Amino acid sequence: MKKFPLRCFILFVSLISTAAAAEPWSALVSPSNSFEFKLLQGETPVAHTTIVGWGPNWQWVGVGADQKAQGDTLDVTTQFVVNKDRGEVIDIRFRVRKSGPRQVAFQYDLNAAKDVPVTMLIAGLGPEKGFAKGQWTLSLADGKTSVVKLPVGITAQPATKKAVLGMEGVGDVAFAFEPPTPLAFDGDMRVLLADKVYKAGKTSTTITATFPGEASLLARQEDLERLSRTLAGPDWFPLTIPEKLDGPGVIAMDDWLEKPAGKRGGVRMVDDRFELADGTPIKFWGTNLSYGSGCAPEQAEAEATAARFARYGINAVRLHKFSYPKGRDNGIGDANDATLMDREGLDRFDYFAAQLTQRGVYYAWSHTFGFMVCAGNRDRLVAYDEIEKNLNGKTYAFINFAEDVQDLMIEMIVNLLKHKNPHTGVAYADDPALAFIELQNEDDIFFYTSESAFNACPTYKKLFLAKFADWLKAKYGTDEALAKAWDGLQSGESLAAKNIVPQLNPWFFGSDNLPKQKGGPRQRLLDAATWMHEVQNRFYTRFAKAIRDAGYRGPLCGSPWQAPAMLPHYLNLRSDAMVGFIDRHNYFGGQLTDTMLSHPGSGYFSSGLQQVVDRPFGVSEWIHVYPSLYSAEGPAIMAAYGLGLQGWDASFEFQSSPRRQAYNDRAGWQPWGVWDADVPTSLGQFPTLARMIYRGDVKEGEIISTRRVGADDLASGRFNFSDTVQQTGDIKSFSGSTPEEALAAGRCVVEFSDKPQSSRPSTFPDLARFRDGTAIVSATKQLRWETSGQGFFTIDTAGTKGVVGFAAGRPQSLGNVDIELKSPYASVILTAVDKESDLDNAKRALLSVVARNSNTGFKYFAIDERILDNGQGPILLEPVKATISIGKRPIAAVHVLDHAGQRTGKTLEVHSGRFTIDGTRDRTLYYEVEYGDKST
């Protein structure tokens, strides 16, 4: 073989570099705010500019406009309003122009008639996330040079003439400031346009960006339209929503659900699983309904919704936050008494519960998210007026401290449990169809909301502090002993004065701060954490006892919420374990191309790291956040890996809504209709996934990791392992000494013990045992998660075979079934239709095939994937193409089904057990494989 000449190699590299450098540069205005720009190389966002301001005390003040350039210059105006009544307003004129072949100038003209108090008003500059390696090189006004490495923390720099942003693989973008301007950093660079007080008068600041190559200004509406994209191609087909769901259909699972729900007795928590009273194991594969409109629908919708759930294999529904007072947040509670339900709303609630039960669908209570007190309860509260005024009557977080508020919520649930449903003739406490009761939703004492709630109402705060002082006195006895333990008290603090304030922000005793603390300051934090733990446990214990005294024997859950990593997390998890089963909430995505497949164990699946060894486990809220397009992976992961391999006991996708038709008319919408399970990529897969779950096709794996938490760990805040928790709103991810990837291999659990942890050390997974090249193979050998490329996984069980993800052109051999995807992404699941069958002896098999779905007319921005036009119904489905071969069994026919799962009269050609599905041709998401007689 001839050697490749060095000079040729150098020329080759040079050509690549030249091609990269030749990518055009531009400054692109934001579609939603003309004060924001992306700096692009080609169509790749490299950096950004914006304007942000805060009034006094960091009060955020929005700055924005939507006008676009009419010619070569963008010229927009707006106001920075601190207090309009006092005339504290800064007029802002923003002009952007191309000032040279490689330059774009951003000019900020400010004008105020009087002094305006501010924290700061800034122009922000910074690299995009993918270009965060490099540095800022600053040329200061005094002639000195300063270098600030990326990523940048919080720091400040004096007046600066020029800042060069050097980014690996991109080159340098220089920003010149006229006049020289002080800078601050907090991630992005902050160019100070106003600081502390903007003096009356006019100022002008120009930032001129100089790019490595020729640059253009893209600030006209036609520039934005040129960069908009329609998602659905011409081959995508509309979802045909059936008007009536009753009647025969291959997907129908009505006969899978034993009727009525609770026929074998109520649900019980037995060790780490749910059982019915006669010992029959049960797992819940369900969804959520919210508010009075969802949990207490009108009669016709109640009947149709219960029937729809049963047809799609949903055997349980979580009834969520229905107890708000009538007229407030769409609840069915009494408008004047928080302990009672509104009579008319309760009758609808009763009727729906009866309909669900009749169809074989269990229901669970998630009754409250922020309990609301009513005027009629004034005499039972220490300071009703403070709660109404300072908390708007809603006691989220506050309830964890206030026992009188707790009493009202407990009484509300006891009253509801004692209420006899006239449509069933059974009191709810005795109704075996009531699957579980959650004490409170997404609330616990170890969350960031506790501190502000504690301080919200002065009368209650005084009582809270008195209780803390009593607790400290019982532990330490005297001020002197307390001061010795804490290395001193703060000025004026004493047990007698009852003015010692506990630290209630859980960050201070979490993984980011507690390990840095020593001696007395650490002990003070530990005492606050222990007190909070005991306060929460006392609330939960009283609540659970009242429910048991009312006669209910089913499972209980403390709260499905979480806390910051390590000590607060394990104190909170311990509280929940003391109540009953462990339940958690988690979401994933929000961007078009977000996927969990590229990283096993990521996203909401990572919640499984909170499973406790001797308790059932469930995730009662989860979904891909709209408009994430790869949402079909979610239900398949939760079914196969969650309820299968991990042995979870409950899953409730968030959320459904009552309706007579099968699906929603849109895939999703912003900003509020984002949690929608009634779309083909979710509900559409339930008939195959539910069969797999209820038959137990995917076997529970062995425990490969046990993090053991002893009483001494909780007392000292020291553990022999570490966890990480990352949270942005509802979206959370978990990892640590037991990596989230381990969830793709085997069960990972937490074990609590009153004994010292050192007596039984934690164990951690040896993932090398489960790796096969670039794949993670489950301990059961039934699941294989391929990590190369964008990722996919396979299901290979006797009853179900499947391929989910980015497996195009990578044929998968799954026992007697071969699946080769032709589409870039899809979820293809083949399962035996009947309860007692597997794919070796079933007469029929159901095949579900979904990829992506979107609204008709859905458009997005090519640069950052933001939605430009959300579109409207009907939902469009991306066609799936694949070749499937089934060996050792003759196939009589492969029927094309309609969107209700009924035969259309069309069949596919089959040759030697091999057939091709093509959504462009077939325009469906379901097929039925009918097996022939082996003798033929």
Side-chain angles (χ1 to χ4, degrees):
M1 179 183 289
K2 289 185 178 181
K3 293 185 178 179
F4 192 68
L6 178 61
R7 63 180 180 275
C8 294
F9 176 75
I10 295 172
L11 176 61
F12 176 69
V13 173
S14 175
L15 289 171
I16 292 176
S17 301
T18 302
E23 283 281 315
W25 287 83
S26 58
L28 173 68
V29 71
S30 165
S32 58
N33 188 347
S34 297
F35 282 86
E36 298 176 353
F37 275 77
K38 296 284 189 185
L39 307 184
L40 310 179
Q41 186 180 33
E43 290 191 1
T44 302
V46 171
H48 53 261
T49 73
T50 188
I51 183 169
V52 183
W54 298 268
N57 300 316
W58 294 100
Q59 180 182 357
W60 182 80
V61 178
V63 178
D66 60 5
Q67 308 101 301
K68 301 299 182 281
Q70 298 302 313
D72 296 331
T73 300
L74 174 69
D75 192 338
V76 296
T77 59
T78 193
Q79 290 186 322
F80 182 81
V81 181
V82 174
N83 190 309
K84 193 167 188 176
D85 293 338
R86 294 199 296 263
E88 294 173 347
V89 177
I90 302 173
D91 294 314
I92 303 174
R93 183 181 183 187
F94 180 52
R95 287 179 285 179
V96 186
R97 67 188 187 282
K98 181 174 164 59
S99 56
R102 296 190 297 126
Q103 293 182 331
V104 175
F106 303 86
Q107 183 173 331
Y108 304 85
D109 297 331
L110 276 57
N111 183 21
K114 61 182 294 185
D115 291 356
V116 179
V118 299
T119 299
M120 63 174 63
L121 177 62
I122 66 161
L125 302 172
E128 293 291 291
K129 288 183 179 180
F131 300 93
K133 290 185 179 180
Q135 65 184 28
W136 286 100
T137 302
L138 310 179
S139 299
L140 306 182
D142 60 7
K144 296 180 181 179
T145 299
S146 178
V147 175
V148 181
K149 297 285 188 181
L150 298 177
V152 188
I154 298 175
T155 186
Q157 296 287 334
T160 302
K161 295 186 298 183
K162 183 179 180 182
V164 179
L165 177 57
M167 295 169 285
E168 290 185 11
V170 175
D172 297 345
V173 180
F175 300 91
F177 308 113
E178 180 58 42
T181 307
L183 305 178
F185 287 89
D186 187 357
D188 280 357
M189 173 191 288
R190 296 176 169 183
V191 182
L192 296 177
L193 306 176
D195 186 21
K196 297 179 182 176
V197 176
Y198 182 78
K199 296 292 185 180
K202 298 180 180 179
T203 60
S204 181
T205 301
T206 300
I207 304 173
T208 301
T210 302
F211 298 93
E214 183 76 22
S216 58
L217 173 63
L218 304 178
R220 298 174 300 176
Q221 185 61 38
E222 49 262 44
D223 296 323
L224 298 177
E225 291 172 357
R226 180 171 56 82
L227 292 166
S228 69
R229 303 286 184 267
T230 299
L231 177 65
D235 56 344
W236 290 40
F237 57 92
L239 177 70
T240 304
I241 303 174
E243 295 183 1
K244 187 177 181 181
L245 288 174
D246 285 335
V250 181
I251 69 169
M253 295 192 67
D254 308 70
D255 60 348
W256 282 64
L257 306 187
E258 194 170 60
K259 304 175 186 64
K263 181 179 180 180
R264 296 176 181 270
V267 184
R268 301 291 182 260
M269 193 179 88
V270 180
D271 298 323
D272 65 347
R273 67 178 183 175
F274 293 141
E275 291 183 358
L276 300 178
D278 70 350
T280 303
I282 188 169
K283 290 179 182 284
F284 294 120
W285 179 247
T287 187
N288 284 259
L289 293 171
S290 295
Y291 300 109
S293 58
C295 303
E298 297 297 336
Q299 182 171 324
E301 283 188 334
E303 294 168 357
T305 301
R308 173 168 61 96
F309 286 168
R311 182 181 184 87
Y312 279 83
I314 292 171
N315 71 342
V317 58
R318 177 173 174 259
L319 303 178
H320 181 49
K321 54 187 178 185
F322 55 80
S323 68
Y324 292 123
K326 183 179 181 180
R328 300 182 71 174
D329 288 337
N330 193 11
I332 63 167
D334 185 90
N336 191 54
D337 186 343
T339 70
L340 301 175
M341 296 292 116
D342 172 74
R343 181 171 297 181
E344 187 273 336
L346 181 58
D347 186 65
R348 287 185 282 112
F349 184 84
D350 290 339
Y351 186 79
F352 187 38
Q355 285 296 307
L356 291 168
T357 302
Q358 180 181 327
R359 292 284 185 170
V361 181
Y362 291 79
Y363 60 91
W365 287 356
S366 169
H367 47 83
T368 300
F369 181 36
F371 182 74
M372 298 187 75
V373 298
C374 297
N377 306 125
R378 178 189 299 271
D379 293 343
R380 296 185 57 181
L381 297 168
V382 171
Y384 168 80
D385 290 336
E386 289 183 8
I387 296 175
E388 184 61 35
K389 178 182 177 181
N390 300 338
L391 298 172
N392 196 29
K394 185 172 286 190
T395 62
Y396 179 77
F398 182 83
I399 196 172
N400 294 307
F401 302 98
E403 291 189 1
D404 55 350
V405 178
Q406 294 169 12
D407 288 340
L408 293 176
M409 185 163 75
I410 292 170
E411 185 174 331
M412 175 191 73
I413 294 306
V414 169
N415 287 340
L416 193 55
L417 284 170
K418 291 182 177 179
H419 167 72
K420 181 181 288 187
N421 184 337
H423 303 285
T424 64
V426 178
Y428 281 112
D430 301 320
D431 190 348
L434 178 53
F436 65 81
I437 299 174
E438 173 186 290
L439 301 191
Q440 60 176 352
N441 173 68
E442 291 192 1
D443 197 357
D444 65 64
I445 204 168
F446 293 103
F447 197 59
Y448 296 106
T449 46
S450 285
E451 187 172 36
S452 60
F454 184 88
N455 292 320
C457 303
T459 303
Y460 280 95
K461 181 176 180 179
K462 186 176 180 180
L463 293 174
F464 299 157
L465 292 178
K467 292 178 181 179
F468 185 50
D470 292 342
W471 185 87
L472 292 172
K473 184 174 179 61
K475 179 173 182 178
Y476 292 104
T478 64
D479 286 341
E480 291 75 18
L482 178 59
K484 182 178 179 181
W486 285 7
D487 291 349
L489 299 176
Q490 297 176 10
S491 177
E493 286 186 331
S494 72
L495 293 172
K498 300 191 175 188
N499 62 351
I500 301 172
V501 180
Q503 176 55 256
L504 297 181
N505 185 333
W507 179 87
F508 284 93
F509 37 88
S511 61
D512 292 331
N513 181 66
L514 187 64
K516 305 173 187 175
Q517 305 302 315
K518 298 179 180 179
R522 180 184 179 91
Q523 187 57 49
R524 180 167 184 150
L525 291 171
L526 291 173
D527 282 336
T530 301
W531 177 68
M532 293 168 69
H533 184 47
E534 293 182 11
V535 168
Q536 178 158 286
N537 290 344
R538 187 160 52 249
F539 171 27
Y540 286 0
T541 299
R542 293 196 313 116
F543 202 164
K545 183 178 185 302
I547 290 173
R548 296 307 186 204
D549 288 346
Y552 180 68
R553 294 291 175 265
L556 299 179
C557 161
S559 174
W561 208 224
Q562 81 297 318
M566 300 313 296
L567 181 60
H569 165 63
Y570 285 103
L571 287 170
N572 184 59
L573 189 63
R574 179 60 170 157
S575 291
D576 291 333
M578 291 170 68
V579 172
F581 75 97
I582 307 301
D583 182 29
R584 288 297 180 258
H585 292 172
N586 208 346
Y587 294 81
F588 174 78
Q591 300 299 313
L592 286 183
T593 54
D594 287 342
T595 173
M596 301 193 300
L597 291 169
S598 59
H599 188 171
S602 62
Y604 41 72
F605 183 33
S606 69
S607 294
L609 291 176
Q610 300 181 71
Q611 185 172 11
V612 175
V613 67
D614 56 351
R615 296 290 186 271
F617 182 82
V619 181
S620 66
E621 288 188 21
W622 59 268
I623 202 168
H624 273 50
V625 177
Y626 183 78
S628 296
L629 294 173
Y630 298 121
S631 57
E633 69 195 23
I637 290 173
M638 296 298 278
Y641 280 93
L643 275 71
L645 179 69
Q646 292 298 320
W648 297 353
D649 304 277
S651 163
F652 294 83
E653 190 170 10
F654 196 90
Q655 68 179 339
S656 184
S657 58
R659 65 167 57 87
R660 303 181 193 188
Q661 296 172 319
Y663 296 102
N664 209 326
D665 60 347
R666 289 176 290 178
W669 56 98
Q670 294 182 319
W672 299 116
V674 296
W675 323 122
D676 195 346
D678 296 332
V679 294
T681 55
S682 288
L683 183 68
Q685 297 188 87
F686 274 38
T688 48
L689 297 176
R691 284 173 164 86
M692 178 182 74
I693 292 166
Y694 299 154
R695 261 195 318 256
D697 290 351
V698 180
K699 304 305 179 187
E700 184 175 314
E702 65 182 89
I703 293 176
I704 64 171
S705 173
T706 304
R707 283 157 291 145
R708 293 190 169 92
V709 178
D712 53 337
D713 299 316
L714 298 178
S716 67
R718 293 186 174 91
F719 304 81
N720 72 341
F721 58 87
S722 63
D723 288 346
T724 61
V725 178
Q726 295 179 337
Q727 180 169 4
T728 302
D730 285 322
I731 299 172
K732 300 172 283 290
S733 61
F734 304 87
S735 190
S737 298
T738 297
E740 65 270 32
E741 293 91 343
L743 292 169
R747 296 180 66 205
C748 304
V749 298
V750 174
E751 182 180 291
F752 289 104
S753 174
D754 292 331
K755 298 178 181 178
Q757 182 276 132
S758 57
S759 64
R760 293 191 68 201
S762 298
T763 59
F764 304 103
D766 176 13
L767 285 181
R769 285 180 52 204
F770 306 100
R771 293 195 185 278
D772 181 12
T774 55
I776 297 177
V777 180
S778 69
T780 62
K781 310 297 185 185
Q782 295 178 311
L783 305 175
R784 180 185 179 92
W785 196 315
E786 177 57 59
T787 63
S788 61
Q790 291 180 274
F792 66 91
F793 69 88
T794 60
I795 304 168
D796 186 2
T797 73
T800 303
K801 313 283 185 180
V803 178
V804 179
F806 302 90
R810 304 177 72 171
Q812 300 299 307
S813 181
L814 309 171
N816 295 333
V817 176
D818 294 335
I819 301 175
E820 181 177 2
L821 293 186
K822 308 294 186 181
S823 303
Y825 168 87
S827 174
V828 176
I829 309 289
L830 178 72
T831 193
V833 168
D834 301 319
K835 286 183 186 180
E836 308 300 330
S837 302
D838 59 34
L839 291 172
D840 283 339
N841 56 33
K843 294 181 180 179
R844 300 177 301 156
L846 173 64
L847 179 67
S848 67
V849 294
V850 288
R852 300 178 294 174
N853 50 215
S854 85
N855 296 332
T856 300
F858 181 94
K859 289 185 178 180
Y860 65 97
F861 198 43
I863 300 304
D864 58 12
E865 298 182 348
R866 76 177 67 195
I867 297 174
L868 296 176
D869 186 341
N870 194 50
Q872 63 284 320
I875 296 173
L876 298 177
L877 290 123
E878 182 178 27
V880 175
K881 297 182 180 181
T883 298
I884 299 173
S885 298
I886 300 177
K888 296 186 178 180
R889 295 200 66 190
I891 297 176
V894 176
H895 300 276
V896 179
L897 307 180
D898 66 14
H899 299 173
Q902 298 172 328
R903 291 183 180 180
T904 62
K906 299 177 182 178
T907 59
L908 303 184
E909 291 186 7
V910 182
H911 301 285
S912 302
R914 183 181 178 89
F915 59 93
T916 297
I917 60 173
D918 183 346
T920 305
R921 175 196 67 206
D922 306 330
R923 300 169 76 82
T924 190
L925 62 159
Y926 298 121
Y927 300 84
E928 177 193 7
V929 177
E930 184 180 7
Y931 294 103
D933 189 334
K934 290 185 179 181
S935 63
T936 61

